[in-house]
């Protein structure tokens, strides 16, 4: 089948993706021709690494984990929606996207998008000035030991034992339901702090950028100086303020917190910092660090019935209701959110109650500016926003258990009012606003809240008029009333180039965006363009054929030859698909999410796999430890080892065999010399003279059998009783160690002349002694072995046993080192055989016979009189 060369059809998604990829590279940081803007959004991919990793977790418990990496993905979608809407990068805007659009031809951008990898270490001075060195040291230990504790199913947030200083009370236990640690949690913490410091540097750098929104996690406004709480391990906003104090000459800062929950940690740090510096200020020398002379004001609007006041703790409730204005440099003002039933009612609350929070912040900034000027110092202030979106109308009910919500318009309205306040004269803010993400846990609450928040941070509402059929004019009506509260500012209407429309975050528009994310776009699918002229399906007639005229013939008949040649066929061009805002925002959001790392939470199946892997790793470690303990370590050999002289216990005889020169051509059997003879001849072959012992004949006719050697060897048996020395060829004394020689070695080859003579001489001597012993009936067997008659063949004067199997009961063991002695039937034996009491064969036991035999093997050797040596039972358990 032939492959089609047709290009795939161009879709709106592909056009949007390719275009935004070019725009991100051309107009934003990390490029040479980027366009500057007054607002910046800062992202740090390290924040995805903080993930819930406890292996022993059920599906139900896992569903309760709301502080998850997906929060950053939802926020990036909100950033993309704001960029497309404010910049009008869609088919209905001023800058519609098409394949040939050049990003450099655009006049401006609504805000810059900066992806940074900056990190701030926990032990840096900026962090320890806020949280103290001891708590940072403890947190570092907990992060480092978290992976091993999780692998062993231990509590990773258990506070370690460490030296916390003299007189320090035992630390309070951490809440394992709100807090967790993982393998990459430390990178996420340091990345979040680094992103906040990056925003502070941009705002104070003197460039056009005056406002920044930092998308980081985990949140921080519940974390106090030395105690984390409510998903918060570090206070990101206070670390950013301290960075401004230490590096940019910041003199005072105001924190405006509009999260659903009271920022108890942020308020506690602000109060402690201001009161401490107030006490120091009276006696501080001029050389004291500048940050010790600064102040921080805290202003919050929250639900009093929610965390951390939900349990009714009096101290928590009192702190969440504190209202202090300019008393000993302390400034804290808290406003509680109220229920409302209609938009009109809510905006009345905003005008009468919530806007007071901004007025208190304005008073604080103005009074601090005047105080620094009276001291002869140059004031420099900034406003930090703790931007939480968990009070949104789209937040899940599990988080908003008390049904205290705000409309999505609220985030754009309060942000825009803060931007206007930051531009007012006499506050020393000069338009500097740094917003840091705090709460917000459902996807729709986050991306709709971020869209509204960035619309107020980077856009303006002056040029927007409500469209027909859209219920959103109330916001503008209330805004006009609240506008009377604004003061003279440096923000001119000409600078506000990006108007926003509250209909952007209406339910219908958000539903459309959700459908796009679910691949259920309500747009019709793109049609494939035609590549040829449509055919004519009517049957031609004679008249139609006659009327058909060739255009080229008409041109030739025309008198004017200078007329241009008309083209008879026109090549069809593919129309560019319309890129709607929802498609453009979704494609841009996908580009902002990294594809080279994990950006989602662990699933229940992944946690189960982690349990199995951890168990397998522990089992493997135990097996390795056990095997290492059971095997003695082998020391490494030295490079030049000295010659080692083996002790007498370590010397072993050379195990080699050679023939006496006489072979049986029928049975192919050989008479094998004993190990002592082999050792002697091997020593002689190396040129070392052997010491010949004095062999004296003995008149004893009874030999006492030696006791078994417990080590299973018959070579080192101690003599017990009287043993005939004539039967033993002793081991030669030599100073050299007997080592095994290969058959090809020169030293291992025996001398066929002298060796054979010595062997035959010893054999003849033994035959004489054994014949005398047989005649005198000197040997007796400990057990009589019965068996079939043995066929004895006479070969060269020797008695050779052909190949019998000698049966013996397994419970009857022969003495180690003993031998089976076979004799010819005597007259008495013949009588016994004839009377049926025997088979004519006699077996007796002896010991120390220098010949070897292994029962059951194919090759067996005996002396001329049938002496058959046995192996020790320790060596052959079959005997």
């Amino acid at each position: 089948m032939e492959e089609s060369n047709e290009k795939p059809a161009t879709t709106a998604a592909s056009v949007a993706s390719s275009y935004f990829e070019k725009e991100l590279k051309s107009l934003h940081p990390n490029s040479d021709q980027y366009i500057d803007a007054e607002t910046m959004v800062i992202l740090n991919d390290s924040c995805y690494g903080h993930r819930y990793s406890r292996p022993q977790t059920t599906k139900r418990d896992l569903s309760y984990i709301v502080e998850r990496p997906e929060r950053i993905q939802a926020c990036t979608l909100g950033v993309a929606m704001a960029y497309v809407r404010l910049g009008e990068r869609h088919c209905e805007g001023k800058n519609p996207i098409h394949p040939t659009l050049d990003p450099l031809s655009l006049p401006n951008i609504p805000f810059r998008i900066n992806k940074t990898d900056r990190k701030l270490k926990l032990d840096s001075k900026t962090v320890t000035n806020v949280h103290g060195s001891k708590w940072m040291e403890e947190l570092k230990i907990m992060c480092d030991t978290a992976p091993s504790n999780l692998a062993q199913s231990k509590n990773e947030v258990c506070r370690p034992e460490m030296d916390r200083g003299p007189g320090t009370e035992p630390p309070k236990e951490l809440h394992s339901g709100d807090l967790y640690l993982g393998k990459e949690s430390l990178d996420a913490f340091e990345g979040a702090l680094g992103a906040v410091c990056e925003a502070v540097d941009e705002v104070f750098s003197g460039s056009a950028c005056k406002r920044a929104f930092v998308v980081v996690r985990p949140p921080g406004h519940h974390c106090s100086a030395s105690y984390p709480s409510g998903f918060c391990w570090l206070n990101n906003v206070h670390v950013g303020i301290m960075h401004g104090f230490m590096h940019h000459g910041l003199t005072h800062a105001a924190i405006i917190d509009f999260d659903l929950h009271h920022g108890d940690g942020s308020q506690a740090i602000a109060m402690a910092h201001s009161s401490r510096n107030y006490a120091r200020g009276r006696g501080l020398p001029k050389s004291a660090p500048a940050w010790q002379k600064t102040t921080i004001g805290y202003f919050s609007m929250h639900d009093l019935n929610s965390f951390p006041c939900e349990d009714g703790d009096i101290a928590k409730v009192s702190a969440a209701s504190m209202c202090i204005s300019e008393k000993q440099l302390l400034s804290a003002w808290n406003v509680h959110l109220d229920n409302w039933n209609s938009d009109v009612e809510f905006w009345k609350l905003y005008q009468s109650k919530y806007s007071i929070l901004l007025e208190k912040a304005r008073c604080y900034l103005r009074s601090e500016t005047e105080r620094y000027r009276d001291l002869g110092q140059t004031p420099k202030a900034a406003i930090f926003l703790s931007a939480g979106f968990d009070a949104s109308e789209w937040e899940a009910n599990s988080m908003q258990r008390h049904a205290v919500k705000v409309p999505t318009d609220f985030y754009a309205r309060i942000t825009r009012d803060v931007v206007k306040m930051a531009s007012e004269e006499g506050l020393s803010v000069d338009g500097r606003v740094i917003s840091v993400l705090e709460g917000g846990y459902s996807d729709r609450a986050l991306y709709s809240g971020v869209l509204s928040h960035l619309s107020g941070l980077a856009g303006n509402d002056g040029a927007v008029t409500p469209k027909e059929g859209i219920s959103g004019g109330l916001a503008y009506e209330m805004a006009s009333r609240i506008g009377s509260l604004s003061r003279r500012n440096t923000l001119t209407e000409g600078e506000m180039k990006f108007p926003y429309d509250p209909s952007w975050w209406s339910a219908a528009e958000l539903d459309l965006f959700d459908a796009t994310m679910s691949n259920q776009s309500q747009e019709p699918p793109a049609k494939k363009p035609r590549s040829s002229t449509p055919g004519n399906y009517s049957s031609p007639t004679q008249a139609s054929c006659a009327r058909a005229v060739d255009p080229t013939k008409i041109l030739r008949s025309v008198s004017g030859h200078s007329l241009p040649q008309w083209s008879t066929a026109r090549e069809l061009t593919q129309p560019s698909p319309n890129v709607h805002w929802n498609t453009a925002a979704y494609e841009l959001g996908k580009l902002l999410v990294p594809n080279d790392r994990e950006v989602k939470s662990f699933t229940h199946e992944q946690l189960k796999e982690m349990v199995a892997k951890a168990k397998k790793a522990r089992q493997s470690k135990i097996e390795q430890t056990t095997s290492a303990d059971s095997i003695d370590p082998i020391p490494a050999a030295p490079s030049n080892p000295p010659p080692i002289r083996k002790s007498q216990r370590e010397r072993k005889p050379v195990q080699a065999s050679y023939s006496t020169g006489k072979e049986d051509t029928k049975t192919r059997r050989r008479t094998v010399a004993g190990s002592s003879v082999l050792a002697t001849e091997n020593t002689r072959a190396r040129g070392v003279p052997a010491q010949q012992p004095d062999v004296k004949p003995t008149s004893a006719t009874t030999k006492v059998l030696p006791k078994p050697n417990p080590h299973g060897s018959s070579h080192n048996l101690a003599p017990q009783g009287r043993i005939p020395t004539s039967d033993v060829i002793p081991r030669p004394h030599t100073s050299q160690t007997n080592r095994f020689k290969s058959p090809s070695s020169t030293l291992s080859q025996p001398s066929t002349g002298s060796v054979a003579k010595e062997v035959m001489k010893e054999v003849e001597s033994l035959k004489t002694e054994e014949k005398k012993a047989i005649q005198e009936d000197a040997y007796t067997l400990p057990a009589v072995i019965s068996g079939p008659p043995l066929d004895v063949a006479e070969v060269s004067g020797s008695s050779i046993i052909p190949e019998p199997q000698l049966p013996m009961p397994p419970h009857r063991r022969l003495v180690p080192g003993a031998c089976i002695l076979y004799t010819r039937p005597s007259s008495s034996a013949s009588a016994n055989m004839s009377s049926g009491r025997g088979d004519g064969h006699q077996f007796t036991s002896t010991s120390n016979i220098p010949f070897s035999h292994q029962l059951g093997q194919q090759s067996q050797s005996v002396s001329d009189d049938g002496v058959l040596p046995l192996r020790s039972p320790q060596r052959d358990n079959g005997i």
Side-chain angles (χ1 to χ4, degrees), residues 93-172:
K94 295 180 180 179
N95 304 305
I97 297 175
H98 55 83
T100 60
L101 179 62
D102 184 9
L104 297 177
S105 64
L106 300 177
N108 50 43
I109 57 176
F111 51 82
R112 292 164 55 191
I113 302 175
N114 181 17
K115 297 191 71 173
T116 181
D117 57 356
R118 180 174 176 178
K119 295 181 181 180
L120 184 64
K121 297 296 183 180
L122 297 186
D123 57 355
S124 65
K125 198 66 176 177
T126 303
V127 182
T128 56
N129 284 345
V130 176
H131 291 289
S133 58
K134 287 297 181 181
W135 165 231
M136 291 300 95
E137 180 182 354
E138 182 178 357
L139 180 58
K140 180 69 165 54
I141 294 174
M142 295 171 65
C143 291
D144 293 340
T145 57
S148 61
N149 288 335
L150 290 170
Q152 301 174 24
S153 299
K154 295 181 180 178
N155 183 13
E156 81 280 9
V157 298
C158 181
R159 307 192 76 161
E161 296 182 0
M162 57 178 293
D163 182 16
R164 295 180 172 84
T168 305
E169 298 181 358
K172 184 180 179 181

Side-chain angles (χ1 to χ4, degrees), residues 367-567:
S367 63
E368 286 299 295
T369 299
E370 295 173 355
R371 186 176 68 89
Y372 277 103
R373 287 175 178 173
D374 294 340
L375 295 175
Q377 301 178 11
T378 302
K380 183 183 289 187
I383 298 176
F384 286 78
L385 298 178
S386 285
F389 304 102
D390 41 6
S392 170
E393 58 186 327
W394 303 114
E395 184 57 85
N397 293 330
S398 58
M399 183 60 61
Q400 292 183 344
R401 291 181 292 273
H402 306 282
V404 179
K405 303 179 180 182
V406 297
T408 310
D409 291 346
F410 163 79
Y411 299 112
R413 182 71 264 161
I414 191 173
T415 305
R416 194 62 202 163
D417 290 343
V418 169
V419 170
K420 291 180 179 179
M421 182 179 66
S423 301
E424 293 178 8
E425 296 179 351
L427 305 182
S428 304
V429 178
D430 296 335
R432 292 182 286 265
V433 179
I434 298 99
S435 177
V436 181
L437 177 65
E438 294 290 354
Y441 303 97
S442 71
D443 291 346
R444 177 172 279 201
L446 282 168
Y447 67 68
S448 64
V450 170
L451 168 61
S452 178
H453 179 56
L454 282 177
S455 297
L457 194 66
N460 65 285
D461 57 355
V464 178
T465 57
K467 296 182 180 180
E468 296 181 1
I470 298 178
S471 58
L474 178 62
Y476 298 96
E477 180 183 354
M478 299 305 301
S480 61
R481 297 179 182 178
I482 299 172
S484 60
L485 299 176
S486 61
R487 306 295 192 271
R488 180 182 177 184
N489 57 69
T490 59
L491 188 65
T492 63
E493 292 296 328
E495 296 176 351
M496 298 184 292
K497 305 174 183 178
F498 307 100
Y500 66 83
D501 187 346
S503 65
W504 293 348
W505 43 81
S506 64
E509 295 293 295
L510 297 181
D511 289 340
L512 178 62
F513 187 73
D514 288 341
T516 304
M517 291 192 297
S518 303
N519 295 325
Q520 298 177 358
S521 176
Q522 299 182 12
E523 299 179 9
K527 295 182 179 180
K528 186 177 179 180
R530 293 177 178 177
S531 58
S532 61
T533 304
N536 185 6
Y537 300 100
S538 62
S539 300
T541 62
Q542 184 176 3
S544 63
C545 293
R547 287 195 298 269
V549 180
D550 187 1
T552 57
K553 294 181 180 179
I554 298 177
L555 289 176
R556 286 196 298 267
S557 64
V558 178
S559 59
H561 297 285
S562 61
L563 294 177
Q565 296 293 328
W566 295 346
S567 176

Side-chain angles (χ1 to χ4, degrees), residues 62-80:
L62 193 61
S63 64
Y64 294 150
I65 306 302
V66 295
E67 210 298 295
R68 65 203 196 286
E70 286 81 358
R71 297 179 62 233
I72 302 296
Q73 294 188 59
C75 288
T76 56
L77 291 175
V79 171

Side-chain angles (χ1 to χ4, degrees), residues 7-11 14-15 99 526-530 571-577:
K7 296 181 179 180
T10 304
T11 62
S14 62
V15 171
K527 295 182 179 180
K528 186 177 179 180
R530 293 177 178 177
E571 183 179 356
L572 297 178
T573 59
Q574 180 178 352
S576 176

